[in-house]
Amino acid sequence: MPSSRNSPSCTRCELELEPALISEADRLATFREIAAGLAELLKPKERLNIWQWAERRRFLARGVSAKSLEGKKLYCCSDAPHQRAPQEAATDPSVQLTVLVMASQVGGKTEIFNNVLGYHMDWAPRSCVVMYPTLDAAEKYSKKKFTPMVEASPALSSILRPARARDSGNTIFSKDFPAGSIYFVGANSPTSLRGTSGAVLLGDEVDSYLPSAGEEGDPIELLFKRAESFPNAVKLLASTPTVKGSSRIWDFFELSDQQYWFVPCPLCGKHQVLTWKQIQWPKDKPESAVLKCAHCAAALDDSQRLQMYYAGEWRATAPFKGIRGFHLNGIYAPWPAQKGYQDRLHQMAEEHIRASKKEKSEQVWVNTFLCELWEPKVLVTSCEDLLKRGEDYGPEKIPEGVIVVICSVDVQDRYLQAETIGLGLDDETWGMESRKFEGDTEQDDVWQDLAGHLGRTYTRADGAILPITATAVDMRHRGHMVRKLVQKGGIARVFPVYGSRNSQSPLLVTTRMNKLYRLRTFAINTRIAKDAIFARLNVEEQGPRYMHFPKGHGYARDYFDELTAEVLQTKKVRGVTIQSYEKVRERNEALDIRVYFLAVIDILKPALGVIDKHLRAGLKTQSELKDYQLKPPPEPKGGGDVRGPGGKPVPARGQAEPRRKIKVGGF
């Protein structure tokens, strides 16, 4: 029997019933929906600035902040209100360039960069170029900051194809999206810039850029050339400042309107810019740190500091000439203190105390927290204060603080200038003797005299005997004679060194192997070494990094004239501001010798605490043996004095034989 489904009568019924299923009201509703959809498509896109877009469509990557760990969270400008104005300036038609000088991990430069890129991917699509000091740094930002932000935000992840898809256009250094691309480039690689262009140009950590991208010139200007065909280009530079006279970001900031975050005092209501001199605490009590108002001198706690920050506003301190500049130091930090601290003021005080103990740590703190220029302490140019430092000790009996003895030698045509220096804990040093070995340095005699000197030992005030552990010899002059000294037997650790004034390396010492002579040589970044020397000459309290000098023993006025024979000068070379040490007196051998001395420390990296412990343990052993030897030998059992061959006493049964005397010295 045929089914009803195939029955002609059923088909006619279905056809007759179908019009009745769609009512006039349903047709009207469907039409309205279609019309609304078309209207939405034709509707002009809402005008949003960057931070407004971010608050609606950009989610924080997990781990960016403590709040992002709680779950999916949209970016919110009210968490860090100082980030609004820089983002508004980026798209302001009247602004040629936006400059951010903000404290590391406080200002939120990376979050601002992420917002700018996300906005120009999703809301106002345009090609972007992001420059970092190196390709490695660009890769790190692309993988660790940008990609997590895209993955956390559906509005962005939906317009980027998966990286693993074939021809996705999604690589580490290039991200393609509808109507644009993002390129990540390195200032050290001019080839990474070729073929790239964009209407949005971002440069981060610009103070770390090399003076020239290969042979092609200033990398910042090369970056700006990428937007020549875009009249409404967005340009943004960011960095923490570095050294005075050579900071690129500070040069741009001085051309800007120089805006600072002004905050009102919760008591007197007067606005002010927060500075470090306002952070005060009782001696040895950093946990009691307070913020003093610059106007009424009220002692404000950390909650009041936060109240001031959230009530703050940007104010320009210079005329606007097309460049907006924003400066923010770490005192404004809106984030909670790390564990172990009572509040943020306590953390600031503790970090300052730690940083002030080492000049390089202090420079990092000044640059990344205060967001200020570091000015090397090179104020010592007079010998009078140094001559007054003379102390009553000499090479015959050196101070107990000396743990390792090092010699440095400068080579001239008619003499060798050598200085023996004692090194103690925390880089405290004692000049021991400065000697001149006169003679033709092309002949062997003067080098034999030096070799004899390098084999001597020094006695410490507590009796420890210290040899010369290592020697640095300048090999720029008479290099063949230096090689003979290095290969000479019986002399410990002779390092051939030479200074490099134009080194771009951040390391004090770099080494290379000369295969022809089978000799390892050491190049010294003299700028780094001289910065350290002049900073330590300004240390006035005996202790860490203090430089001691004896009265006499070669430490006369001529020595200190040579030690302070150079000053740091700032000059422009081919339009680039550089700093270098220049002579103000003819002779500078003493300064060069101290440079070589610092190089030896960097090469050896001696474990001074361990060495000192062994030296003192050896002295204690010697003292115990001496006391033991002064005691009369015990009577043997039976009352007789038993002696062996040669008349030597034989210890009784059960009595230990005296230990041998131990010689202490070196390490």
Side-chain angles (χ1 to χ4, degrees):
M1 182 175 180
S3 65
S4 61
R5 180 178 178 85
N6 296 325
S7 172
S9 60
C10 292
T11 303
R12 283 198 300 271
C13 292
E14 289 175 4
L15 292 174
E16 291 173 358
L17 291 172
E18 185 176 2
L21 295 176
I22 304 175
S23 66
E24 189 66 28
D26 290 339
R27 287 196 187 95
L28 185 59
T30 302
F31 175 77
R32 287 174 178 171
E33 288 178 7
I34 295 173
L38 290 173
E40 186 67 26
L41 289 173
L42 298 174
K43 181 182 177 181
K45 186 175 285 189
E46 185 180 358
R47 295 177 65 90
L48 297 177
N49 61 39
I50 292 172
W51 67 265
Q52 290 171 337
W53 167 85
E55 288 193 331
R56 295 188 187 186
R57 299 173 68 83
R58 192 222 141 176
F59 288 85
L60 297 179
R62 186 173 180 84
V64 168
S65 66
K67 291 184 177 180
S68 67
L69 296 174
E70 300 171 0
K72 205 167 184 181
K73 177 176 169 50
L74 279 167
Y75 171 86
C76 183
C77 216
S78 60
D79 293 338
H82 70 268
Q83 295 180 7
R84 281 196 187 96
Q87 295 179 72
E88 292 173 356
T91 53
D92 188 335
S94 67
V95 176
Q96 305 165 9
L97 171 66
T98 304
V99 179
L100 305 181
V101 187
M102 293 184 174
S104 178
Q105 305 300 321
V106 172
K109 299 192 304 293
T110 300
E111 293 306 300
I112 293 174
F113 270 45
N114 283 345
N115 288 349
V116 172
L117 293 175
Y119 176 84
H120 288 101
M121 288 173 63
D122 174 47
W123 205 250
R126 306 173 83 185
S127 289
C128 311
V129 182
V130 186
M131 177 180 278
Y132 272 83
T134 63
L135 279 174
D136 288 342
E139 178 181 358
K140 183 178 178 181
Y141 170 75
S142 174
K143 293 168 67 174
K144 304 296 184 182
K145 302 293 184 181
F146 177 79
T147 299
M149 182 264 293
V150 170
E151 292 174 346
S153 305
L156 302 178
S157 58
S158 63
I159 60 176
L160 275 186
R161 294 184 64 189
R164 294 183 180 180
R166 172 178 281 186
D167 301 327
S168 66
N170 184 353
T171 66
I172 293 174
F173 297 108
S174 176
K175 310 285 184 181
D176 294 340
F177 55 89
S181 300
I182 297 178
Y183 304 99
F184 301 97
V185 301
N188 64 332
S189 175
T191 56
S192 66
L193 273 172
R194 295 196 184 105
T196 64
S197 62
V200 180
L201 307 177
L202 309 181
D204 198 9
E205 294 303 337
V206 300
D207 268 18
S208 297
Y209 292 0
L210 293 175
S212 176
E215 299 294 328
E216 301 189 21
D218 186 357
I220 294 179
E221 294 302 324
L222 290 175
L223 174 65
F224 288 167
K225 288 295 181 182
R226 301 298 96 192
E228 282 291 302
S229 58
F230 300 96
N232 296 321
V234 173
K235 300 177 183 178
L236 192 152
L237 298 178
S239 184
T240 50
T242 51
V243 179
K244 184 177 182 180
S246 60
S247 174
R248 295 170 181 268
I249 198 68
W250 203 264
D251 290 342
F252 280 106
F253 182 68
E254 289 185 332
L255 296 174
S256 73
D257 58 355
Q258 301 179 31
Q259 297 195 31
Y260 291 87
W261 192 250
F262 280 76
V263 295
C265 172
L267 299 183
C268 70
K270 293 186 177 179
H271 283 73
Q272 57 203 279
V273 177
L274 300 183
T275 60
W276 182 249
K277 65 181 180 181
Q278 293 175 252
I279 310 299
Q280 300 176 17
W281 62 89
K283 186 177 180 181
D284 300 327
K285 291 185 177 181
E287 66 277 5
S288 301
V290 296
L291 171 66
K292 290 289 187 74
C293 173
H295 298 285
C296 67
L300 308 173
D301 60 23
D302 198 57
S303 62
Q304 291 171 309
R305 178 191 67 86
L306 282 174
Q307 180 184 343
M308 295 170 72
Y309 163 74
Y310 284 109
E313 61 184 21
W314 288 109
R315 290 185 182 180
T317 60
F320 173 66
K321 298 179 180 179
I323 301 178
R324 293 273 188 223
F326 302 91
H327 184 284
L328 190 86
N329 63 44
I331 303 174
Y332 296 98
W335 323 120
Q338 296 177 351
K339 66 177 184 178
Y341 300 102
Q342 295 182 7
D343 52 40
R344 198 77 190 192
L345 287 173
H346 178 202
Q347 181 177 336
M348 293 177 196
E350 288 276 15
E351 289 176 349
H352 170 71
I353 292 170
R354 286 198 302 270
S356 61
K357 293 181 179 179
K358 293 183 179 180
E359 63 264 23
K360 288 301 177 184
S361 298
E362 186 176 7
Q363 178 180 353
V364 172
W365 181 80
V366 169
N367 291 157
T368 62
F369 178 78
L370 290 186
C371 224
E372 295 176 358
L373 295 171
W374 172 256
E375 188 170 3
K377 300 173 183 178
V378 291
L379 304 177
V380 176
T381 55
S382 172
C383 300
E384 300 303 326
D385 292 338
L386 297 177
L387 281 168
K388 294 176 183 177
R389 285 193 185 184
E391 301 174 30
D392 293 322
Y393 70 87
E396 299 80 14
K397 185 168 286 189
I398 61 178
E400 289 188 26
V402 176
I403 299 173
V404 172
V405 178
I406 295 170
C407 185
S408 294
V409 183
D410 188 71
V411 181
Q412 300 293 325
D413 286 337
R414 306 302 302 175
Y415 62 88
L416 300 174
Q417 186 71 44
E419 184 180 5
T420 310
I421 306 166
L423 174 66
L425 296 173
D426 297 320
D427 294 324
E428 191 171 6
T429 60
W430 286 264
M432 290 158 52
E433 58 178 329
S434 178
R435 293 184 58 182
K436 183 179 289 187
F437 297 90
E438 297 187 352
D440 185 357
T441 53
E442 189 62 36
Q443 304 301 320
D444 292 334
D445 293 347
V446 66
W447 292 97
Q448 290 175 358
D449 292 342
L450 174 64
H453 172 70
L454 298 180
R456 69 161 296 180
T457 59
Y458 295 85
T459 303
R460 214 163 63 171
D462 59 2
I465 300 172
L466 304 180
I468 294 177
T469 299
T471 304
V473 185
D474 175 25
M475 65 170 299
R476 285 290 194 195
H477 197 52
R478 308 289 197 235
H480 59 292
M481 301 302 289
V482 175
R483 290 196 298 271
K484 288 176 64 176
L485 181 69
V486 172
Q487 296 162 0
K488 185 179 180 66
I491 305 175
R493 300 185 182 92
V494 178
F495 300 116
V497 299
Y498 60 93
S500 177
R501 294 186 60 180
N502 299 318
S503 174
Q504 298 294 334
S505 171
L507 304 176
L508 174 62
V509 178
T510 52
T511 182
R512 64 183 292 268
M513 187 68 184
N514 187 305
K515 295 182 180 179
L516 178 63
Y517 296 107
R518 300 180 64 187
L519 182 72
R520 189 172 297 279
T521 59
F522 302 88
I524 310 169
N525 188 325
T526 56
R527 169 62 192 277
I528 295 176
K530 290 173 183 178
D531 281 349
I533 290 168
F534 285 111
R536 294 176 187 184
L537 286 174
N538 283 280
V539 176
E540 297 179 352
E541 294 184 8
Q542 295 190 13
R545 284 160 290 286
Y546 184 80
M547 297 172 67
H548 299 263
F549 300 100
K551 294 178 181 177
H553 307 290
Y555 295 92
R557 186 179 188 87
D558 290 346
Y559 172 87
F560 294 110
D561 279 338
E562 293 178 5
L563 186 60
T564 58
E566 296 184 13
V567 296
L568 188 64
Q569 295 182 349
T570 302
K571 57 184 178 181
K572 280 191 176 288
V573 177
R574 296 177 182 177
V576 178
T577 302
I578 63 170
Q579 289 184 310
S580 62
Y581 283 92
E582 305 294 338
K583 284 185 179 181
V584 292
R585 285 184 279 276
E586 183 179 358
R587 311 306 305 179
N588 67 341
E589 286 90 338
L591 178 58
D592 288 342
I593 283 171
R594 287 282 173 161
V595 168
Y596 308 152
F597 166 73
L598 290 182
V600 174
I601 299 173
D602 193 70
I603 296 167
L604 287 180
K605 296 179 175 61
L608 297 175
V610 176
I611 298 169
D612 190 47
K613 182 179 179 180
H614 286 311
L615 287 171
R616 297 187 184 279
L619 288 171
K620 183 179 180 182
T621 303
Q622 280 191 343
S623 176
E624 289 174 350
L625 288 176
K626 186 175 180 181
D627 293 342
Y628 179 82
Q629 291 167 352
L630 290 174
K631 296 177 182 177
E635 290 290 333
K637 292 183 179 180
D641 185 7
V642 181
R643 293 181 178 270
K648 293 183 179 179
V650 177
R653 183 177 300 173
Q655 176 186 346
E657 185 175 351
R659 296 167 62 188
R660 294 181 180 179
K661 192 172 183 179
I662 298 174
K663 182 180 179 182
V664 179
F667 66 95

